[in-house]
Amino acid sequence: MSTSIMSNVEALSTAPFDARFPNQNQTRNCWQNFVDFYRCRKVKGDDYEPCNYFKKVYQSLCPNSWVEKWQEQIEEGKFAGKI
Amino acid sequence: MAKHTHPFHMVDQSPWPLTGALSALTLTMGLIKWFHKMNPNLLMLAMFITLVTMIQWWRDIIRESTFQGNHTSIVMSGLRWGMILFIVSEILFFASFFWAFFHSSLSPSIELGSSWPPSGISPFNPFQIPLLNTAILLSSGVTITWAHHSIMENNHPQSLQALFLTIILGLYFTSLQAWEYWEAPFSIADSAYGTTFFVATGFHGLHVIIGTSFLSICFIRLMFFHFSPNHHFGFEAAAWYWHFVDVVWLFLFISIYWWGS
Amino acid sequence: MATWSHLLFQDSASPTMEQMIFFHDHTMIILTLITTLVVYMMMNTMYNSFTNRVLLEGQEIETFWTIIPALMLIFIALPSLRLLYLMDEINNPALTVKTIGHQWYWSYEYSDFSSIEFDSYMIPSSENLPSSFRLLDVDNRTILPMNTQIRMMITAGDVIHAWTVPALGMKIDAIPGRLNQSSIMINRPGLFFGQCSEICGANHSFMPIVVESVNTSSFIKWMNSMVE
């Protein structure tokens, strides 16, 4: 990818404050958005744009190693969360 | 027997406290040898020493009380307090397992799928065998109270019958639980669910077996007319222990079997 | 960064740390006053030959010397709680940076736009230039934009570590399986150093953190260069 991500200051944005998870331990925040993305996709289909909100949030919050591990588990049918 | 102007029982010299302490040492060493060297022999020896200590120590107490008459009402009061405090310590023992269960189940971690029961665990239907076991233990509570009243009313045949029924119900509970354990679709190693389930119900089962043994000894003593209508503390202690075991089961049933499914 | 005779805090690089230094100074004044007073009273008692053998109690003085210390404690408690709650204020960060502790290095992920990931190892003493900071310099520094609210997410990949930057007043445990959040706002450009603060094995003392604070346009240029 050789195009720049953004060209000005105003474009900096990230996952917003989620009042459901106000404290230091954000493990559940990451997990919940990950699960919500897959559930949204399952219910609404792959092309439904608003599902990508969850995707953006979990990509910002979740360590990449966790995401890879969970995606592998989903493929193998071993993921613990209900999708 | 020395003469004294107080109502307490000064016991004679006895080797059983020493053998009891040595049996505790052998038990711990035996466990280590079993875990690390895969050899249960020392543990088997330890269990034997422990059992023989218990038999002889309690046999001596029966000899000192029932046959030699050393147990005044003050002595019996001391024994009552002792049994009560022991049962309180057992309650705290179980409290720790209930704490562990609620810690894991009230806010299930993401590794369990944030749900309780965790993903992949199929818990027992509480309204099948567990409910039957609840009925069995509650009924045994009734029969043991019947036995107690029969003893107090000097009704020997009925007291034997009632205590016998209580023991049968206890054995029935144990065999049903053993069958459930054998048929369980999950093991102690299956996540926090398996751990909390088998450790809590397992220790409870062990206490049922202990209680049933205690009641059986009382039955034999009852057969030999050791109990009188107003002095039968051995039986009362067994009855208190049995009620405690019943109450623990009720908590187990409501929290782990019913709420936890 | 700290040099050899550095006794007090490093100069602050964030408003939170500045407030912590103010609180420390405020409390230190009170402590110094109390200590002086107590030592003075002890000296007086020692060098005093007056005796009153019928002195049993003194309700008024006892009430006084209970209430006054309580009042002093309130003078310390109020600013303390103010700062504590200030640190927990809800804010809307503009950037999220993840850091994962490993044995024995940190890895950083900037995933808001595209996935930027890199590892940050300490520069071994053998490879140090005369201008390097021994045991503190790293190969890849953590670049962060200044005057921006940043959300730091800290976790670990193996054992417990802790991500520390004294100049920013931060020390957060990196625990496997847990994601800890902290908020930073760096108010000046510069280099800020820290060291792993939770025992994690043989090289626990050799996995430092270097935050390089730059202006926002430089930060965006850097992000763009990392994507390619």
Side-chain angles (χ1 to χ4, degrees), chain B residues 93-94 97 101 116 121-124 177-206 252 256-257:
Chain B
F93 180 71
F94 275 95
F97 299 121
F101 168 73
W116 191 273
I121 300 277
S122 42
F124 293 115
Q177 269 296 70
W179 188 80
E180 279 261 276
Y181 270 31
W182 187 251
E183 295 286 316
F186 56 88
S187 78
I188 195 174
D190 285 322
S191 85
Y193 187 88
T195 313
T196 49
F197 180 87
F198 282 109
V199 170
T201 60
F203 269 116
H204 175 261
L206 177 65
L252 278 176
I256 299 185
Y257 282 95

Side-chain angles (χ1 to χ4, degrees), chain B residues 9 11-12 14 57 59-71:
Chain B
H9 180 204
V11 296
D12 296 325
S14 165
W57 193 334
R59 175 210 64 189
D60 283 355
I61 298 179
I62 294 172
R63 286 175 176 175
E64 291 158 8
S65 58
T66 308
F67 302 148
Q68 292 181 338
N70 284 306
H71 282 195

Side-chain angles (χ1 to χ4, degrees), chain B residues 97-109 112 114-118 192-193 196 255-256 259-261:
Chain B
F97 299 121
F98 276 98
W99 186 328
F101 168 73
F102 283 114
H103 178 101
S104 298
S105 59
L106 280 168
S107 182
S109 68
L112 301 172
S114 298
S115 63
W116 191 273
Y193 187 88
T196 49
S255 346
I256 299 185
W259 179 83
S261 70

Side-chain angles (χ1 to χ4, degrees), chain B residues 94 98 126 129-138 173 177 180-181 197 200-201 204-205 208 242-257:
Chain B
F94 275 95
F98 276 98
I129 305 270
L131 188 62
L132 174 58
N133 275 338
T134 309
I136 291 170
L137 283 185
L138 286 173
F173 175 93
Q177 269 296 70
E180 279 261 276
Y181 270 31
F197 180 87
T201 60
H204 175 261
V208 172
W242 191 251
H243 286 303
F244 151 72
V245 157
D246 186 11
V247 170
V248 170
W249 170 260
L250 293 174
F251 278 100
L252 278 176
F253 178 75
I254 292 174
S255 346
I256 299 185
Y257 282 95

Side-chain angles (χ1 to χ4, degrees), chain A residues 15-33:
Chain A
F17 170 71
D18 190 337
R20 295 174 301 169
F21 313 105
N23 297 321
Q24 189 183 45
N25 187 354
Q26 294 287 300
T27 317
R28 201 59 189 268
N29 191 352
C30 145
W31 190 85
Q32 196 61 61
N33 279 290

Side-chain angles (χ1 to χ4, degrees), chain C residues 133-147:
Chain C
F133 296 127
R134 190 181 68 93
L135 305 184
L136 283 176
D137 257 326
V138 296
D139 52 8
N140 298 316
R141 297 178 182 149
T142 315
I143 319 270
L144 293 176
M146 60 187 235
N147 289 330

